[in-house]
Coordinates of all heavy atoms in Angstrom, one line a residue:
M29 N -12.7 -27.9 -89.4 CA -13.2 -28.8 -88.3 C -12.7 -30.2 -88.4 O -12.4 -30.8 -87.4 CB -14.7 -28.7 -88.4 CG -15.3 -29.4 -87.3 SD -15.0 -28.6 -85.7 CE -16.5 -28.4 -85.1
D30 N -12.5 -30.7 -89.7 CA -12.0 -32.1 -89.8 C -10.6 -32.2 -89.3 O -10.2 -33.2 -88.7 CB -12.1 -32.5 -91.3 CG -13.5 -32.8 -91.8 OD1 -14.4 -33.0 -90.9 OD2 -13.7 -32.7 -93.0
K31 N -9.8 -31.2 -89.5 CA -8.4 -31.2 -89.1 C -8.3 -31.3 -87.5 O -7.6 -32.0 -87.0 CB -7.7 -30.0 -89.6 CG -6.2 -29.9 -89.2 CD -5.6 -28.7 -89.7 CE -4.1 -28.6 -89.3 NZ -3.4 -27.4 -89.8
I32 N -9.2 -30.5 -86.9 CA -9.2 -30.5 -85.4 C -9.7 -31.9 -84.9 O -9.1 -32.4 -84.0 CB -10.1 -29.4 -84.9 CG1 -9.5 -28.0 -85.2 CG2 -10.3 -29.6 -83.4 CD1 -10.4 -26.9 -84.9
L33 N -10.7 -32.4 -85.5 CA -11.2 -33.7 -85.1 C -10.1 -34.8 -85.3 O -9.9 -35.7 -84.4 CB -12.5 -34.1 -85.9 CG -13.2 -35.4 -85.5 CD1 -13.5 -35.4 -84.0 CD2 -14.4 -35.6 -86.4
R34 N -9.4 -34.8 -86.4 CA -8.4 -35.7 -86.7 C -7.3 -35.6 -85.7 O -6.8 -36.6 -85.2 CB -7.8 -35.5 -88.1 CG -6.9 -36.6 -88.6 CD -6.5 -36.5 -90.0 NE -6.3 -35.1 -90.5 CZ -7.0 -34.4 -91.3 NH1 -8.1 -35.0 -91.8 NH2 -6.7 -33.2 -91.7
Q35 N -6.9 -34.4 -85.3 CA -5.9 -34.2 -84.3 C -6.3 -34.8 -82.9 O -5.5 -35.5 -82.2 CB -5.5 -32.7 -84.1 CG -4.7 -32.2 -85.3 CD -4.5 -30.7 -85.1 OE1 -5.3 -30.0 -84.4 NE2 -3.5 -30.1 -85.8
V36 N -7.5 -34.6 -82.5 CA -8.0 -35.1 -81.3 C -8.0 -36.7 -81.3 O -7.6 -37.3 -80.4 CB -9.4 -34.6 -81.0 CG1 -10.1 -35.3 -79.8 CG2 -9.4 -33.1 -80.7
Q37 N -8.4 -37.2 -82.4 CA -8.5 -38.7 -82.5 C -7.1 -39.3 -82.5 O -6.9 -40.5 -82.1 CB -9.2 -39.1 -83.8 CG -10.7 -38.8 -83.7 CD -11.4 -39.0 -85.1 OE1 -10.8 -38.9 -86.1 NE2 -12.7 -39.4 -85.0
E38 N -6.1 -38.6 -83.0 CA -4.7 -39.1 -83.1 C -4.0 -39.0 -81.7 O -2.9 -39.7 -81.6 CB -3.9 -38.4 -84.2 CG -4.4 -38.7 -85.5 CD -3.8 -37.9 -86.6 OE1 -3.0 -37.0 -86.3 OE2 -4.1 -38.1 -87.8
Q39 N -4.5 -38.2 -80.8 CA -3.8 -38.1 -79.5 C -4.1 -39.4 -78.7 O -5.2 -39.9 -78.7 CB -4.4 -36.9 -78.8 CG -4.0 -35.6 -79.3 CD -4.5 -34.5 -78.5 OE1 -5.2 -34.6 -77.6 NE2 -4.2 -33.2 -78.9
P40 N -3.0 -39.8 -78.0 CA -3.2 -41.0 -77.1 C -4.3 -40.6 -76.0 O -4.4 -39.5 -75.6 CB -1.9 -41.2 -76.4 CG -0.9 -40.4 -77.2 CD -1.7 -39.3 -77.9
S41 N -5.0 -41.6 -75.6 CA -6.0 -41.5 -74.5 C -5.3 -41.1 -73.2 O -4.1 -41.3 -73.1 CB -6.8 -42.7 -74.4 OG -6.0 -43.8 -73.8
Y42 N -6.1 -40.6 -72.3 CA -5.5 -40.3 -71.0 C -4.9 -41.6 -70.4 O -3.8 -41.6 -69.8 CB -6.5 -39.7 -70.0 CG -6.9 -38.3 -70.3 CD1 -8.2 -37.9 -70.4 CD2 -5.9 -37.3 -70.5 CE1 -8.6 -36.6 -70.6 CE2 -6.3 -36.0 -70.8 CZ -7.6 -35.7 -70.9 OH -7.9 -34.4 -71.1
A43 N -5.5 -42.7 -70.5 CA -5.0 -44.0 -70.0 C -3.7 -44.3 -70.6 O -2.7 -44.7 -70.0 CB -6.0 -45.1 -70.2
A44 N -3.6 -44.2 -71.9 CA -2.4 -44.4 -72.7 C -1.3 -43.5 -72.2 O -0.1 -44.0 -72.0 CB -2.6 -44.3 -74.2
Q45 N -1.6 -42.2 -72.0 CA -0.6 -41.3 -71.5 C -0.1 -41.6 -70.1 O 1.1 -41.5 -69.8 CB -1.2 -39.9 -71.5 CG -1.4 -39.3 -72.9 CD -2.0 -38.0 -72.9 OE1 -1.5 -37.1 -72.3 NE2 -3.1 -37.8 -73.7
V46 N -1.0 -42.1 -69.3 CA -0.6 -42.5 -67.9 C 0.4 -43.7 -68.0 O 1.4 -43.7 -67.3 CB -1.9 -42.9 -67.1 CG1 -1.4 -43.7 -65.8 CG2 -2.7 -41.7 -66.8
L47 N 0.1 -44.6 -68.9 CA 1.0 -45.8 -69.1 C 2.4 -45.3 -69.6 O 3.4 -45.8 -69.2 CB 0.4 -46.8 -70.0 CG -0.9 -47.5 -69.5 CD1 -1.5 -48.4 -70.6 CD2 -0.5 -48.4 -68.3
L48 N 2.4 -44.4 -70.5 CA 3.7 -43.9 -71.1 C 4.5 -43.2 -70.1 O 5.7 -43.4 -70.0 CB 3.4 -43.0 -72.3 CG 2.8 -43.7 -73.5 CD1 2.3 -42.7 -74.6 CD2 3.7 -44.8 -74.1
V49 N 3.9 -42.4 -69.2 CA 4.6 -41.7 -68.2 C 5.1 -42.7 -67.1 O 6.2 -42.6 -66.7 CB 3.8 -40.6 -67.5 CG1 4.5 -40.0 -66.3 CG2 3.5 -39.5 -68.5
T50 N 4.3 -43.7 -66.8 CA 4.7 -44.8 -65.9 C 5.9 -45.5 -66.4 O 6.8 -45.7 -65.7 CB 3.5 -45.7 -65.7 OG1 2.4 -45.0 -65.1 CG2 3.9 -46.8 -64.7
A51 N 5.9 -45.8 -67.7 CA 7.0 -46.4 -68.3 C 8.3 -45.5 -68.2 O 9.4 -46.1 -67.9 CB 6.7 -46.7 -69.8
A52 N 8.1 -44.3 -68.5 CA 9.3 -43.3 -68.4 C 9.9 -43.3 -66.9 O 11.1 -43.3 -66.8 CB 8.9 -41.9 -68.8
V53 N 9.0 -43.3 -65.9 CA 9.4 -43.4 -64.6 C 10.2 -44.7 -64.3 O 11.3 -44.6 -63.6 CB 8.2 -43.2 -63.6 CG1 8.6 -43.5 -62.2 CG2 7.6 -41.8 -63.7
L54 N 9.7 -45.8 -64.8 CA 10.4 -47.1 -64.5 C 11.8 -47.1 -65.2 O 12.7 -47.8 -64.7 CB 9.5 -48.2 -65.0 CG 8.2 -48.5 -64.3 CD1 7.4 -49.6 -64.9 CD2 8.5 -48.8 -62.8
R55 N 11.9 -46.4 -66.3 CA 13.2 -46.4 -67.0 C 14.3 -45.7 -66.2 O 15.5 -45.9 -66.5 CB 13.0 -45.7 -68.4 CG 12.4 -46.6 -69.4 CD 12.5 -46.1 -70.8 NE 11.8 -47.0 -71.7 CZ 10.5 -46.8 -72.0 NH1 9.8 -45.8 -71.5 NH2 9.9 -47.7 -72.8
I56 N 13.9 -45.0 -65.2 CA 15.0 -44.3 -64.4 C 15.9 -45.3 -63.8 O 17.1 -45.0 -63.7 CB 14.3 -43.4 -63.3 CG1 13.5 -42.2 -64.0 CG2 15.4 -42.9 -62.4 CD1 12.6 -41.5 -63.1
Q57 N 15.4 -46.4 -63.4 CA 16.3 -47.5 -62.9 C 16.0 -48.8 -63.6 O 15.5 -49.8 -63.0 CB 16.1 -47.7 -61.4 CG 16.5 -46.5 -60.6 CD 16.3 -46.7 -59.1 OE1 15.3 -47.3 -58.6 NE2 17.2 -46.2 -58.3
S58 N 16.3 -48.8 -64.9 CA 15.8 -49.8 -65.8 C 16.3 -51.2 -65.5 O 15.7 -52.2 -65.8 CB 16.1 -49.4 -67.3 OG 17.5 -49.3 -67.5
E59 N 17.4 -51.3 -64.8 CA 18.0 -52.7 -64.6 C 17.5 -53.3 -63.3 O 17.8 -54.5 -63.1 CB 19.6 -52.5 -64.5 CG 20.2 -52.1 -65.8 CD 19.8 -52.9 -67.0 OE1 19.9 -54.2 -66.9 OE2 19.5 -52.4 -68.1
R60 N 16.8 -52.6 -62.5 CA 16.3 -53.1 -61.2 C 15.2 -54.1 -61.4 O 14.4 -53.9 -62.3 CB 15.9 -52.0 -60.3 CG 17.1 -51.2 -59.8 CD 16.8 -50.3 -58.7 NE 16.6 -51.1 -57.5 CZ 16.4 -50.6 -56.4 NH1 16.2 -49.3 -56.2 NH2 16.2 -51.4 -55.3
A61 N 15.0 -55.1 -60.6 CA 13.9 -56.0 -60.6 C 12.6 -55.2 -60.2 O 12.7 -54.4 -59.2 CB 14.1 -57.2 -59.7
L62 N 11.6 -55.4 -60.9 CA 10.3 -54.7 -60.6 C 9.5 -55.4 -59.5 O 9.4 -56.6 -59.5 CB 9.5 -54.6 -61.8 CG 8.2 -53.8 -61.7 CD1 8.4 -52.4 -61.3 CD2 7.3 -53.9 -62.9
H63 N 9.1 -54.6 -58.5 CA 8.2 -55.1 -57.5 C 6.9 -54.4 -57.6 O 6.8 -53.2 -58.0 CB 8.9 -54.8 -56.1 CG 10.2 -55.5 -55.9 ND1 10.3 -56.9 -55.7 CD2 11.5 -55.1 -56.0 CE1 11.5 -57.3 -55.6 NE2 12.3 -56.2 -55.8
P64 N 5.8 -55.1 -57.2 CA 4.5 -54.5 -57.3 C 4.4 -53.1 -56.6 O 3.7 -52.2 -57.2 CB 3.6 -55.5 -56.6 CG 4.3 -56.8 -56.8 CD 5.7 -56.4 -56.7
R65 N 5.0 -52.9 -55.5 CA 4.9 -51.6 -54.8 C 5.5 -50.5 -55.6 O 5.0 -49.3 -55.7 CB 5.6 -51.7 -53.4 CG 5.5 -50.4 -52.6 CD 4.1 -50.1 -52.2 NE 4.1 -48.8 -51.5 CZ 3.2 -47.8 -51.8 NH1 2.4 -47.9 -52.8 NH2 3.3 -46.7 -51.2
V66 N 6.7 -50.8 -56.3 CA 7.4 -49.8 -57.1 C 6.4 -49.5 -58.3 O 6.3 -48.3 -58.7 CB 8.7 -50.3 -57.6 CG1 9.3 -49.4 -58.6 CG2 9.7 -50.5 -56.4
L67 N 5.8 -50.5 -58.9 CA 4.9 -50.2 -60.0 C 3.7 -49.3 -59.6 O 3.4 -48.4 -60.3 CB 4.3 -51.5 -60.5 CG 3.3 -51.4 -61.7 CD1 3.8 -50.6 -62.8 CD2 2.8 -52.8 -62.1
D68 N 3.2 -49.5 -58.4 CA 2.1 -48.7 -57.8 C 2.6 -47.2 -57.7 O 1.9 -46.3 -58.0 CB 1.6 -49.2 -56.5 CG 0.7 -50.4 -56.6 OD1 0.2 -50.6 -57.7 OD2 0.5 -51.1 -55.6
I69 N 3.8 -47.1 -57.2 CA 4.4 -45.7 -57.1 C 4.5 -45.0 -58.4 O 4.2 -43.9 -58.6 CB 5.7 -45.7 -56.3 CG1 5.4 -46.2 -54.8 CG2 6.4 -44.4 -56.4 CD1 6.7 -46.5 -54.0
A70 N 5.1 -45.8 -59.4 CA 5.3 -45.2 -60.7 C 4.0 -44.9 -61.4 O 3.9 -43.8 -62.1 CB 6.1 -46.2 -61.6
L71 N 3.0 -45.8 -61.2 CA 1.7 -45.5 -61.8 C 1.0 -44.2 -61.1 O 0.4 -43.4 -61.8 CB 0.7 -46.7 -61.6 CG -0.6 -46.6 -62.3 CD1 -0.5 -46.6 -63.8 CD2 -1.5 -47.7 -61.8
G72 N 1.3 -44.0 -59.8 CA 0.8 -42.8 -59.2 C 1.4 -41.6 -59.7 O 0.8 -40.6 -60.0
F73 N 2.7 -41.6 -60.0 CA 3.4 -40.5 -60.7 C 2.8 -40.2 -62.1 O 2.5 -39.1 -62.4 CB 4.9 -40.7 -60.8 CG 5.7 -40.5 -59.6 CD1 6.4 -41.5 -59.0 CD2 5.7 -39.2 -59.0 CE1 7.1 -41.3 -57.8 CE2 6.5 -39.0 -57.8 CZ 7.2 -40.1 -57.2
G74 N 2.6 -41.3 -62.8 CA 2.0 -41.2 -64.1 C 0.6 -40.5 -64.1 O 0.3 -39.6 -64.9
A75 N -0.2 -41.0 -63.2 CA -1.6 -40.5 -63.0 C -1.5 -39.0 -62.6 O -2.3 -38.2 -63.1 CB -2.4 -41.3 -62.0
D76 N -0.7 -38.7 -61.6 CA -0.6 -37.3 -61.2 C -0.2 -36.4 -62.3 O -0.7 -35.3 -62.5 CB 0.4 -37.2 -60.0 CG -0.2 -37.7 -58.7 OD1 -1.4 -37.9 -58.6 OD2 0.6 -37.9 -57.8
A77 N 0.8 -36.8 -63.1 CA 1.3 -36.0 -64.2 C 0.3 -35.8 -65.3 O 0.2 -34.7 -65.8 CB 2.6 -36.6 -64.8
I78 N -0.5 -36.8 -65.6 CA -1.4 -36.7 -66.7 C -2.8 -36.2 -66.3 O -3.4 -35.4 -67.0 CB -1.5 -38.0 -67.5 CG1 -0.1 -38.4 -68.0 CG2 -2.5 -38.0 -68.6 CD1 0.5 -37.4 -69.0
V79 N -3.4 -36.8 -65.3 CA -4.8 -36.5 -65.0 C -5.0 -35.9 -63.6 O -6.1 -35.7 -63.2 CB -5.7 -37.8 -65.1 CG1 -5.7 -38.4 -66.5 CG2 -5.2 -38.9 -64.1
G80 N -3.9 -35.5 -63.0 CA -4.0 -34.9 -61.6 C -4.8 -33.7 -61.5 O -5.4 -33.4 -60.5
E81 N -4.9 -32.9 -62.5 CA -5.7 -31.7 -62.5 C -7.0 -31.8 -63.2 O -7.8 -30.8 -63.3 CB -4.9 -30.5 -63.2 CG -3.5 -30.3 -62.5 CD -3.7 -29.7 -61.1 OE1 -4.6 -28.9 -60.9 OE2 -2.9 -30.1 -60.2
L82 N -7.4 -32.9 -63.7 CA -8.7 -33.1 -64.4 C -9.8 -33.4 -63.4 O -9.5 -33.8 -62.2 CB -8.6 -34.3 -65.4 CG -7.6 -34.0 -66.5 CD1 -7.5 -35.2 -67.4 CD2 -8.0 -32.8 -67.3
P83 N -11.0 -33.4 -63.8 CA -12.1 -33.7 -62.9 C -11.9 -35.1 -62.3 O -11.4 -36.0 -63.0 CB -13.4 -33.6 -63.7 CG -13.0 -32.6 -64.8 CD -11.5 -32.8 -65.0
T84 N -12.3 -35.3 -61.1 CA -12.1 -36.6 -60.4 C -12.7 -37.8 -61.3 O -12.0 -38.8 -61.4 CB -12.8 -36.6 -59.1 OG1 -12.3 -35.6 -58.3 CG2 -12.6 -37.9 -58.3
A85 N -13.8 -37.7 -61.8 CA -14.4 -38.8 -62.6 C -13.5 -39.2 -63.8 O -13.3 -40.4 -64.1 CB -15.8 -38.5 -63.1
V86 N -13.0 -38.2 -64.5 CA -12.1 -38.4 -65.6 C -10.8 -39.0 -65.2 O -10.3 -40.0 -65.7 CB -11.8 -37.1 -66.4 CG1 -10.8 -37.3 -67.5 CG2 -13.1 -36.5 -66.9
A87 N -10.2 -38.5 -64.1 CA -9.0 -39.0 -63.6 C -9.1 -40.5 -63.1 O -8.2 -41.3 -63.4 CB -8.5 -38.1 -62.4
L88 N -10.2 -40.8 -62.4 CA -10.4 -42.1 -61.9 C -10.6 -43.1 -63.1 O -10.1 -44.2 -63.1 CB -11.6 -42.2 -61.0 CG -11.3 -41.6 -59.6 CD1 -12.6 -41.6 -58.8 CD2 -10.2 -42.3 -58.9
D89 N -11.4 -42.7 -64.1 CA -11.6 -43.5 -65.3 C -10.3 -43.9 -66.0 O -10.0 -45.0 -66.3 CB -12.6 -42.9 -66.2 CG -12.8 -43.7 -67.5 OD1 -13.4 -44.9 -67.3 OD2 -12.5 -43.3 -68.5
A90 N -9.5 -42.8 -66.2 CA -8.2 -43.0 -66.9 C -7.3 -43.9 -66.1 O -6.7 -44.9 -66.7 CB -7.6 -41.7 -67.2
T91 N -7.2 -43.7 -64.9 CA -6.3 -44.5 -64.0 C -6.8 -45.9 -63.9 O -6.0 -46.9 -64.0 CB -6.2 -43.9 -62.6 OG1 -5.8 -42.5 -62.7 CG2 -5.2 -44.6 -61.7
D92 N -8.1 -46.1 -63.8 CA -8.7 -47.5 -63.7 C -8.4 -48.2 -65.0 O -8.1 -49.4 -65.0 CB -10.2 -47.5 -63.4 CG -10.5 -47.1 -62.0 OD1 -9.5 -47.1 -61.1 OD2 -11.7 -46.8 -61.7
R93 N -8.6 -47.5 -66.1 CA -8.4 -48.1 -67.5 C -6.9 -48.5 -67.6 O -6.6 -49.6 -68.1 CB -8.8 -47.2 -68.6 CG -10.3 -47.1 -68.7 CD -10.8 -46.2 -69.8 NE -10.2 -46.5 -71.0 CZ -9.8 -45.6 -71.9 NH1 -10.0 -44.3 -71.6 NH2 -9.3 -45.9 -73.1
A94 N -6.0 -47.6 -67.2 CA -4.6 -48.0 -67.2 C -4.2 -49.2 -66.3 O -3.5 -50.1 -66.8 CB -3.7 -46.8 -66.8
R95 N -4.7 -49.1 -65.1 CA -4.5 -50.2 -64.2 C -5.0 -51.6 -64.7 O -4.4 -52.6 -64.5 CB -5.1 -49.9 -62.8 CG -4.6 -50.9 -61.7 CD -5.1 -50.4 -60.4 NE -4.5 -49.2 -59.9 CZ -3.3 -49.1 -59.4 NH1 -2.5 -50.1 -59.3 NH2 -2.9 -47.9 -59.0
A96 N -6.1 -51.5 -65.4 CA -6.8 -52.8 -65.9 C -5.9 -53.5 -66.9 O -6.1 -54.7 -67.1 CB -8.2 -52.5 -66.4
V97 N -5.1 -52.8 -67.6 CA -4.3 -53.5 -68.7 C -2.9 -53.8 -68.3 O -2.1 -54.2 -69.1 CB -4.3 -52.6 -70.0 CG1 -5.7 -52.5 -70.5 CG2 -3.7 -51.3 -69.8
L98 N -2.5 -53.5 -67.0 CA -1.2 -53.8 -66.6 C -0.9 -55.3 -66.6 O -1.7 -56.1 -66.1 CB -1.0 -53.3 -65.1 CG -1.0 -51.8 -64.9 CD1 -0.9 -51.5 -63.4 CD2 0.1 -51.1 -65.7
P99 N 0.2 -55.7 -67.2 CA 0.6 -57.1 -67.1 C 1.0 -57.5 -65.7 O 1.4 -56.6 -64.9 CB 1.8 -57.2 -68.1 CG 2.1 -55.8 -68.6 CD 1.1 -54.8 -67.9
P100 N 0.9 -58.8 -65.4 CA 1.3 -59.2 -64.1 C 2.8 -58.9 -63.9 O 3.6 -58.9 -64.8 CB 1.1 -60.7 -64.2 CG 0.3 -61.0 -65.4 CD 0.4 -59.8 -66.3
V101 N 3.1 -58.8 -62.6 CA 4.5 -58.5 -62.2 C 5.1 -59.8 -61.6 O 4.4 -60.3 -60.7 CB 4.6 -57.3 -61.2 CG1 6.0 -57.1 -60.7 CG2 4.0 -56.1 -61.8
D102 N 6.2 -60.2 -62.0 CA 6.9 -61.3 -61.4 C 8.3 -60.8 -61.0 O 8.8 -59.8 -61.5 CB 6.9 -62.6 -62.2 CG 7.6 -62.5 -63.5 OD1 8.7 -62.0 -63.5 OD2 7.0 -62.8 -64.5
D103 N 9.0 -61.6 -60.3 CA 10.4 -61.2 -59.8 C 11.5 -61.3 -60.8 O 12.6 -61.1 -60.6 CB 10.7 -61.9 -58.5 CG 10.8 -63.4 -58.7 OD1 10.4 -63.9 -59.8 OD2 11.1 -64.1 -57.7
T104 N 11.1 -61.7 -62.1 CA 12.1 -61.9 -63.1 C 12.2 -60.7 -64.1 O 13.1 -60.6 -64.9 CB 11.9 -63.2 -63.9 OG1 10.6 -63.0 -64.6 CG2 11.9 -64.4 -63.0
V105 N 11.2 -59.8 -64.0 CA 11.2 -58.7 -65.0 C 11.8 -57.4 -64.4 O 11.7 -57.2 -63.2 CB 9.7 -58.4 -65.4 CG1 8.9 -57.9 -64.3 CG2 9.6 -57.5 -66.6
T106 N 12.5 -56.8 -65.2 CA 13.2 -55.5 -64.8 C 12.3 -54.3 -65.1 O 11.3 -54.4 -65.8 CB 14.5 -55.3 -65.5 OG1 14.3 -55.1 -66.9 CG2 15.5 -56.4 -65.3
H107 N 12.6 -53.2 -64.5 CA 11.9 -52.0 -64.8 C 11.9 -51.7 -66.3 O 10.8 -51.3 -66.8 CB 12.5 -50.8 -64.1 CG 12.4 -50.8 -62.6 ND1 12.5 -49.7 -61.8 CD2 12.2 -51.8 -61.7 CE1 12.4 -50.0 -60.5 NE2 12.2 -51.3 -60.4
G108 N 13.0 -51.8 -66.9 CA 13.1 -51.5 -68.3 C 12.3 -52.4 -69.2 O 11.6 -52.0 -70.1
E109 N 12.3 -53.7 -68.9 CA 11.5 -54.7 -69.6 C 10.0 -54.4 -69.5 O 9.2 -54.4 -70.4 CB 11.8 -56.1 -69.2 CG 13.2 -56.6 -69.5 CD 13.6 -57.9 -68.8 OE1 13.0 -58.1 -67.7 OE2 14.5 -58.5 -69.2
Y110 N 9.6 -54.1 -68.3 CA 8.2 -53.8 -68.0 C 7.8 -52.5 -68.7 O 6.7 -52.4 -69.3 CB 7.9 -53.7 -66.5 CG 6.5 -53.8 -66.1 CD1 5.9 -55.1 -65.9 CD2 5.6 -52.8 -66.0 CE1 4.6 -55.3 -65.6 CE2 4.3 -52.9 -65.7 CZ 3.8 -54.2 -65.4 OH 2.5 -54.3 -65.1
A111 N 8.7 -51.5 -68.8 CA 8.4 -50.2 -69.5 C 8.2 -50.5 -70.9 O 7.3 -49.9 -71.5 CB 9.6 -49.3 -69.3
L112 N 8.9 -51.4 -71.5 CA 8.7 -51.8 -72.9 C 7.3 -52.4 -73.1 O 6.6 -52.1 -74.1 CB 9.8 -52.7 -73.5 CG 11.2 -52.2 -73.6 CD1 12.2 -53.3 -73.9 CD2 11.2 -51.1 -74.7
R113 N 6.9 -53.2 -72.2 CA 5.5 -53.8 -72.2 C 4.5 -52.7 -72.2 O 3.5 -52.7 -72.9 CB 5.3 -54.8 -71.1 CG 6.2 -56.0 -71.2 CD 6.0 -56.9 -70.1 NE 7.0 -58.0 -70.1 CZ 7.1 -58.9 -69.1 NH1 6.3 -58.9 -68.1 NH2 8.0 -59.8 -69.2
L114 N 4.7 -51.7 -71.3 CA 3.7 -50.6 -71.1 C 3.7 -49.8 -72.4 O 2.6 -49.3 -72.8 CB 4.1 -49.7 -69.9 CG 4.0 -50.4 -68.6 CD1 4.3 -49.4 -67.5 CD2 2.6 -51.0 -68.3
D115 N 4.8 -49.5 -73.0 CA 4.8 -48.8 -74.3 C 4.0 -49.5 -75.3 O 3.2 -48.8 -76.0 CB 6.2 -48.6 -74.8 CG 7.1 -47.7 -74.0 OD1 6.6 -46.8 -73.3 OD2 8.3 -47.8 -74.1
S116 N 4.1 -50.8 -75.4 CA 3.3 -51.5 -76.4 C 1.8 -51.5 -76.1 O 1.0 -51.3 -77.0 CB 3.9 -53.0 -76.4 OG 3.1 -53.7 -77.3
I117 N 1.5 -51.7 -74.8 CA 0.1 -51.7 -74.4 C -0.5 -50.4 -74.6 O -1.7 -50.3 -75.0 CB 0.0 -52.2 -72.9 CG1 0.3 -53.7 -72.8 CG2 -1.4 -52.0 -72.4 CD1 0.6 -54.1 -71.4
A118 N 0.2 -49.3 -74.4 CA -0.3 -48.0 -74.5 C -0.9 -47.7 -75.9 O -1.8 -46.9 -76.1 CB 0.7 -46.9 -74.1
K119 N -0.3 -48.4 -76.9 CA -0.8 -48.2 -78.3 C -2.2 -48.7 -78.5 O -2.9 -48.4 -79.5 CB 0.2 -48.8 -79.2 CG 1.5 -48.2 -79.2 CD 2.5 -49.0 -80.1 CE 3.9 -48.5 -79.9 NZ 4.9 -49.3 -80.6
T120 N -2.7 -49.6 -77.6 CA -3.9 -50.3 -77.8 C -5.0 -49.7 -76.9 O -6.2 -50.1 -77.0 CB -3.8 -51.8 -77.5 OG1 -3.5 -52.0 -76.1 CG2 -2.7 -52.4 -78.3
V121 N -4.7 -48.8 -76.0 CA -5.7 -48.3 -75.0 C -6.4 -47.0 -75.5 O -5.7 -46.1 -75.9 CB -5.0 -48.1 -73.6 CG1 -6.0 -47.5 -72.6 CG2 -4.4 -49.3 -73.1

């Protein structure tokens, strides 16, 4: 039982997984400047991939938690740079 509990505790949270998939989506065009709308689309892909089949309450909670830790977007950051930020933040969620 301890082994199973340890495995569950070591898995990233749903919110962290959403951030990691969002980062992967952004890396597809890593050199492009990031715009808020593109981030919303990438986050939507991440949420659909990770929590799309889960109960609504769980999916909304994970997506809200992921969205709450997103760093601000400005016109100087690229998709790749922002993806690195998401990777780092995902470790803390």
Side-chain angles (χ1 to χ4, degrees):
M29 185 64 125
D30 289 338
K31 182 179 178 181
I32 294 170
L33 182 59
R34 189 173 40 249
Q35 287 176 338
V36 169
Q37 290 173 330
E38 291 173 357
Q39 290 181 357
S41 68
Y42 287 133
Q45 292 177 51
V46 168
L47 293 173
L48 293 171
V49 173
T50 301
V53 170
L54 291 175
R55 283 192 183 90
I56 293 169
Q57 295 182 321
S58 62
E59 298 302 317
R60 295 193 69 180
L62 182 63
H63 298 283
R65 181 69 183 129
V66 173
L67 176 57
D68 283 341
I69 292 167
L71 186 65
F73 281 118
D76 285 346
I78 299 301
V79 297
E81 299 295 320
L82 296 176
T84 302
V86 175
L88 289 175
D89 179 64
T91 305
D92 289 347
R93 288 179 52 220
R95 189 175 294 283
V97 297
L98 292 176
V101 176
D102 63 52
D103 60 356
T104 64
V105 67
T106 65
H107 291 201
E109 292 166 337
Y110 200 87
L112 290 173
R113 293 177 191 176
L114 295 182
D115 288 339
S116 179
I117 291 168
K119 297 173 187 173
T120 68
V121 178

